[in-house]
Amino acid sequence: MFVARGATAIANTIAFLADRLEPISVILGLTQRNLMRQAMAYVFFGEGETGLVVYSVLVRFWEANPRPDHPLLFLMSG
């Protein structure tokens, strides 16, 4: 299991690792924060819901570069 922390563009880093390491699945954790708090955290601190951003980056990448063996994506809320 790989955990990415402290990267400048964490969502892009995770998407890059998911493409290069060719895992069977990618499990992305979601926060249960209030949407308004998430928006304010993004505006003031530049942080947000990483799981959804990684999901959108990977889906767009796979649409542009289709391959039959891309990993399964799981969005988990705890």
Side-chain angles (χ1 to χ4, degrees):
M1 177 163 101
F2 289 93
V3 178
R5 292 189 186 123
T8 304
I10 193 78
N12 291 334
T13 303
I14 295 170
F16 175 79
L17 289 174
D19 181 58
R20 293 295 176 205
L21 297 176
E22 298 181 3
I24 296 170
S25 63
V26 176
I27 301 172
L28 304 169
L30 301 175
T31 64
Q32 293 183 340
R33 266 197 292 185
N34 178 309
L35 293 177
M36 184 56 85
R37 282 188 176 169
Q38 286 187 45
M40 290 296 131
Y42 180 76
V43 169
F44 292 115
F45 306 112
E47 62 183 41
E49 185 64 76
T50 304
L52 292 176
V53 176
V54 172
Y55 173 81
S56 65
V57 168
L58 284 173
V59 167
R60 287 183 185 175
F61 176 75
W62 290 331
E63 285 175 353
N65 303 296
R67 61 177 219 221
D69 61 340
H70 66 76
L72 299 173
L73 286 177
F74 295 96
L75 296 173
M76 307 290 282
S77 180

